[in-house]
Amino acid sequence: MADFDELKFRDPARARALTEALHREVEAAGRTISVMHVCGSHEQAIARFGLRAAFPRDLDVIMGPGCPVCVTDTPEVDEAVALAAQGARVCTYGDMLRLPGTVKSLADAQVDGGNVEVVYSVSRAVEIARARPAEQVVFFASGFETTAVATAAVVLSGVPENFSVLSSHKYVPAAMDLVAEIEETSIEGFIAAGHAATITGWGIFEPFAARTRSPVVVAGFEPLDVLAAVLELVRLIRAGRPEVMNCYPRCVSKEGNGPALEKLWKVFELAAGNWRGIARVPRGNLELRPEWDHLNARRRFRIDTSTVGGAERNVLAEHCICGTIMSGLARPSDCPIFGKECRPDSPVGACMVSSEGSCKIWHVYGGQPDLRGVA
Amino acid sequence: MCLGVPGKVLSISDDGMSAQVDFFGVEKELRLDIVDEPVTVGDYVLNHVGFAIRRIPPEEVGETLALFDQILKEAAAGDLMAEDVRGEMAAGKAVPGGESGRG
């Protein structure tokens, strides 16, 4: 790989130049500017590369509801746990395994003797169904549209009769609408998730920018990608231009991935859904369209979640502020149980479970990576 | 989970629905039903959960590969970004001998 050693998107000289420009821009604004990104992979990049230490003091870059696993609601987990208890084989992505339900996670269901399997791809779940024709195999599907298109492709290519989908897919633009409508929010602009935009295209954010008067910049996941996008965003905010800027042209076009979008909307439609700890989000969930009822686990089975609820109460969960964190109104370090009772090996809240959850990211990459108060 | 990982197309199935793809020395089978434009042998594609989601423009290939190579090189246990990259690499369907390591 010697030919490829030029790490253009990590070049320190360019990073310094961008950082200096960002400092000048925020200083010239003469006030605090808050912006939000809605993607766990962006938070990984920011925390992993220590970018918050380089950001100006008066710039707040906050992670919003950008972790689809984290916003999966407890009753959705309960449905999967109940299906496992009712004898179905539940296949799901690894991040979902320890996501707490009302009382139990799928990992608990496994301990109870339920058949729960982690898969890296929905295709694998279909293979499992083919190999076990006597069983009901339910794919508990999580992820934003980038991941939902894979579920859609599998549905359209034909699946065995014993395969069904329990959809917990979420829709990124709804996450941004949600935050923009919170009254106490101070967010003036958004960094849009790069790979979700690979599918939907950046054009989808234009109506949002116009309606909320908030600029949107599409960004990749490298240090220079993030720095350049934040700089562009601050410039747009200062200029009062609620426009959409694509700072990730190597992966994102205006129209997006046509074949993938066609499949997505053939299989899914937008529906209102509760996002854990946040709110009921209109058009926030991707549900199977009625013509796929025969593959929809919610239609195929009578899912009895009363058996997995019960009177047990998780006292720790009452201290969890994941919802406030995902709304951009608090940081992981503001939570009284962050890094204490709530850790990656014993997560209380959803944000500590997924590799895309802000609490897990802050915990793994140094707990409190925001060093601006130190200098 | 949203981190696409690039790989090189080694061969394409007769029905055009899947491809054998090389990820840094690990061979996996990827599905081609949702890629944005037709791919041919030698192209690079972004992989997400076992599906090619974008053909990477040839002029971007060098930088994109270098970045992921670097992430893997730096990867220590417990690094979330590297774990996500490994998960994406594992998402393709195993091919006989594909894990034995050509890299």
Side-chain angles (χ1 to χ4, degrees), chain B residues 25-58:
Chain B
V26 177
E27 279 177 38
K28 290 278 182 179
E29 187 182 313
L30 279 200
R31 287 179 56 160
L32 296 176
D33 7 3
I34 50 174
V35 72
D36 58 332
E37 43 183 77
V39 299
T40 52
V41 171
D43 281 350
Y44 282 81
V45 289
L46 268 195
N47 156 36
H48 182 59
V49 295
F51 289 74
I53 57 166
R54 180 173 168 89
R55 176 177 172 267
I56 303 172

Side-chain angles (χ1 to χ4, degrees), chain A residues 179-193:
Chain A
V179 173
E181 281 159 19
I182 294 175
E183 266 177 36
E184 59 267 48
T185 191
S186 55
I187 308 297
E188 295 180 71
F190 290 83
I191 307 278

Side-chain angles (χ1 to χ4, degrees), chain A residues 12-22 24 231:
Chain A
R14 289 191 179 92
R16 260 192 300 277
L18 283 170
T19 305
E20 282 163 16
L22 182 59
R24 284 195 298 274
L231 175 59

Side-chain angles (χ1 to χ4, degrees), chain A residues 8-23 25-26 35 37 42 45-46 49-56 59 61 191 217-235 247 250:
Chain A
K8 200 164 94 181
F9 296 98
R10 291 189 186 180
D11 171 30
R14 289 191 179 92
R16 260 192 300 277
L18 283 170
T19 305
E20 282 163 16
L22 182 59
H23 277 259
E25 199 67 33
V26 173
V35 300
H37 71 80
H42 279 144
I46 290 168
F49 297 108
L51 297 184
R52 279 202 182 81
F55 290 154
L59 175 69
V61 180
I191 307 278
V217 177
V218 179
F221 302 95
E222 283 301 318
L224 295 196
D225 286 328
V226 175
L227 285 170
V230 171
L231 175 59
E232 274 310 319
L233 188 56
V234 172
R235 280 188 183 144
C247 285
R250 64 186 190 277

Side-chain angles (χ1 to χ4, degrees), chain A residues 65-89:
Chain A
C67 167
V69 172
C70 305
V71 297
T72 296
D73 205 15
T74 44
E76 293 175 276
V77 177
D78 290 348
E79 286 177 313
V81 170
L83 280 167
Q86 287 169 228
R89 180 171 294 269

